[in-house]
């Protein structure tokens, strides 16, 4: 939400925008802050506004929302050379794998005219390869990464364009893996999140599970040995986990019917609060065991609740965080030791 608000603020001050649009955006900005409106409601409001504008204005706002504030701008803009060097050394010393977020997402890989922009992905892969890191690619197809101009099409056109995109990017990854090999590992590019965040239903309102499986089958035909992950958030919550399991069972039906493997691993995003109970984590792992698939924790991030922030000092919250992480690591270690669950990786989110 913070990033979207920064973009809106810039648009309000952009002289290229009509005054009436700038005034509307200013009102949205002020109401979002004063009423503490969450990001989903904010984006719904923006989409309604954007849909009423001319194509050129739609494109201008859309481009800013999707491209203006990426990680390099937000995270690295104030770094000097020494700080950047220390970060690079830290990554090289303590991490074995790097997750590329949005690097080959549709919005970054496919140009508006339908051609493909491979430069960003190529540079990112070369950076990881030179640092001797394996790579995970996040969210091949995610609703958030599909541009408005694509989603305006009929379902058949959307599916056709996604197949063309997935075919090209998977061939690029296949060729990169074939050329850049290490003796001590099977694949430089370890895994791809081919299904992501389906439980919220936004993507499934546009394409069916069968449609998505048809699209991902194209990637599988090009990438026989890369691990395909179904990555989802909120799996520690029973309701979300039950929906996830239903979707995964539907994908398995497709796999059995078409004699193809589309999910090799379960991805747990695990953006969690400090008040999450240990029993809830155990229940999550126990339920997911029925699929007999390896599990990776893909985006671990830990938040203090509002009450914790109000009632504790920063030092006390840090102690709670350390205790939570210690308990979680011990729990995972127990699963690994007894062999009941194969946990392949633990990834920390930025």
């Amino acid at each position: 939400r913070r990033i979207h608000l920064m973009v809106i603020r810039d648009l309000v001050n952009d002289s290229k925008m009509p005054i009436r649009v700038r005034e509307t955006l200013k009102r949205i900005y002020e109401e979002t802050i004063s009423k503490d409106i969450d990001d989903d409601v904010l984006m719904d409001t923006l989409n309604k506004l954007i849909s009423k504008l001319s194509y050129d204005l739609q494109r201008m706002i859309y481009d800013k929302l999707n491209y203006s504030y990426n990680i390099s701008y937000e995270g690295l803009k104030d770094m000097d050379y020494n700080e950047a060097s220390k970060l690079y050394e830290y990554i090289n010393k303590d991490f074995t794998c790097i997750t590329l977020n949005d690097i080959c997402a549709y919005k970054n890989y496919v140009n508006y005219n339908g051609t493909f922009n491979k430069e960003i992905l190529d540079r990112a892969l070369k950076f990881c390869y030179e640092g001797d890191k394996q790579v995970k690619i996040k969210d091949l197809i995610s609703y958030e990464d599909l541009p408005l101009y694509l989603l305006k099409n009929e379902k058949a056109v959307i599916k056709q364009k996604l197949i063309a995109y997935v075919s090209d990017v998977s061939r690029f990854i296949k060729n990169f893996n074939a050329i850049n090999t290490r003796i001590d590992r099977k694949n430089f590019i370890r895994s791809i999140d081919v299904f992501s965040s389906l439980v919220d239903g936004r993507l499934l309102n546009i394409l069916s599970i069968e449609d998505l499986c048809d699209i991902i089958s194209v990637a599988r035909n090009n990438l026989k040995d890369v691990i395909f992950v179904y990555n989802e958030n909120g799996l520690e919550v029973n309701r979300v986990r039950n929906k996830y399991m239903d979707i995964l069972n539907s994908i398995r039906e497709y796999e059995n019917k078409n004699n193809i493997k589309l999910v090799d691993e379960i991805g747990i995003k695990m953006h969690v609060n400090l008040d999450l109970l240990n029993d809830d984590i155990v229940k999550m792992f126990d339920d997911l065991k029925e699929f007999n698939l390896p599990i990776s924790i893909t985006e671990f991030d830990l938040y203090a609740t509002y009450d914790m922030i109000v009632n504790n000092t920063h030092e006390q919250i840090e102690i709670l965080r350390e205790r939570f992480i210690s308990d979680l690591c011990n729990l995972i270690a127990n699963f690994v030791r007894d062999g009941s669950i194969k946990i392949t990786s633990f990834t920390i989110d930025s």
Side-chain angles (χ1 to χ4, degrees), residues 193-303:
D193 297 348
V194 292
F195 300 102
S196 181
S197 302
L198 298 181
V199 167
D200 67 21
R202 289 179 295 172
L203 187 55
L204 292 179
N205 286 333
I206 300 169
L207 297 169
S208 67
I209 292 175
E210 184 175 2
D211 290 327
L212 293 172
C213 288
D214 287 342
I215 295 165
I216 300 305
S217 294
V218 175
R220 174 55 85 198
N221 289 333
N222 288 326
L223 300 169
K224 303 292 186 185
D225 297 322
V226 174
I227 295 169
F228 280 14
V229 181
Y230 174 12
N231 194 26
E232 190 65 73
N233 192 32
L235 294 182
E236 64 280 356
V237 179
N238 288 334
R239 173 183 52 80
V240 176
R241 186 167 63 254
N242 290 337
K243 183 83 177 287
Y244 173 91
M245 294 169 73
D246 289 342
I247 293 172
L248 189 49
N249 278 320
S250 296
I251 294 171
R252 283 200 152 177
E253 290 176 10
Y254 181 98
E255 290 177 328
N256 293 332
K257 180 180 177 181
N258 294 276
N259 192 29
I260 192 169
K261 187 70 170 173
L262 299 181
V263 177
D264 303 306
E265 189 169 284
I266 290 172
I268 302 173
K269 293 190 178 184
M270 213 163 184
H271 301 286
V272 295
N273 289 323
L274 275 165
D275 60 355
L276 178 65
L277 299 177
N278 203 57
D279 289 346
D280 292 331
I281 300 175
V282 172
K283 180 70 163 59
M284 173 182 70
F285 282 114
D286 282 343
D287 285 352
L288 295 175
K289 277 197 298 189
E290 78 168 59
F291 293 99
N292 196 31
L293 289 171
I295 294 175
S296 58
I297 296 172
T298 59
E299 303 175 25
F300 177 72
D301 208 354
L302 190 57
Y303 302 93

Side-chain angles (χ1 to χ4, degrees), residues 12 22 30 41-42 162 193 201 204 243 288-289 300 334:
V12 169
R22 291 163 62 186
E30 291 172 346
V41 175
L42 171 61
L162 287 176
D193 297 348
L204 292 179
K243 183 83 177 287
L288 295 175
K289 277 197 298 189
F300 177 72
N334 289 335

Side-chain angles (χ1 to χ4, degrees), residues 80-252:
D80 62 22
Y81 178 79
N82 289 332
E83 289 173 320
S85 296
K86 288 177 182 178
L87 176 61
Y88 186 80
E89 291 171 5
Y90 174 62
I91 291 172
N92 274 337
K93 176 176 176 288
D94 291 336
F95 294 89
T96 58
C97 184
I98 293 176
T99 299
L100 301 182
N101 183 21
D102 294 347
I103 291 293
C104 66
Y106 190 100
K107 66 184 181 184
N108 293 328
Y109 192 85
V110 183
N111 298 317
Y112 181 71
N113 62 5
T115 60
F116 301 114
N117 176 18
K118 307 173 188 184
E119 181 184 356
I120 300 174
L121 177 59
D122 185 54
R123 288 169 57 195
L125 292 177
K126 286 176 179 175
F127 170 84
C128 296
Y129 188 77
E130 292 303 318
D132 200 27
K133 308 299 178 193
Q134 272 195 309
V135 170
K136 295 179 182 179
I137 292 177
K138 183 175 177 290
D139 296 354
L140 188 65
I141 297 179
S142 175
Y143 180 85
E144 289 83 0
D145 296 329
L146 301 180
L148 186 64
Y149 67 82
L150 173 68
L151 296 178
K152 282 186 170 183
N153 290 296
E154 297 294 326
K155 171 183 170 178
V157 176
I158 295 173
K159 182 176 177 180
Q160 179 187 16
K161 290 181 179 294
L162 287 176
I163 286 175
Y165 149 68
V166 167
S167 176
D168 193 88
V169 75
S170 60
R171 284 199 308 269
F172 183 88
I173 292 168
K174 176 184 178 180
N175 293 336
F176 201 101
N177 245 350
I179 296 170
N180 300 284
T181 57
R182 300 285 191 203
I183 296 173
D184 60 343
R185 60 190 179 209
K186 188 173 184 180
N187 279 312
F188 160 61
I189 299 169
R190 178 193 178 272
S191 65
I192 303 175
D193 297 348
V194 292
F195 300 102
S196 181
S197 302
L198 298 181
V199 167
D200 67 21
R202 289 179 295 172
L203 187 55
L204 292 179
N205 286 333
I206 300 169
L207 297 169
S208 67
I209 292 175
E210 184 175 2
D211 290 327
L212 293 172
C213 288
D214 287 342
I215 295 165
I216 300 305
S217 294
V218 175
R220 174 55 85 198
N221 289 333
N222 288 326
L223 300 169
K224 303 292 186 185
D225 297 322
V226 174
I227 295 169
F228 280 14
V229 181
Y230 174 12
N231 194 26
E232 190 65 73
N233 192 32
L235 294 182
E236 64 280 356
V237 179
N238 288 334
R239 173 183 52 80
V240 176
R241 186 167 63 254
N242 290 337
K243 183 83 177 287
Y244 173 91
M245 294 169 73
D246 289 342
I247 293 172
L248 189 49
N249 278 320
S250 296
I251 294 171
R252 283 200 152 177

Side-chain angles (χ1 to χ4, degrees), residues 23-39:
E23 290 174 347
T24 304
L25 287 169
K26 183 179 180 181
R27 187 182 73 249
I28 292 171
Y29 179 88
E30 291 172 346
E31 287 182 356
T32 300
I33 293 176
S34 64
K35 298 180 181 179
D36 196 25
I37 295 170
D38 67 30
D39 192 55

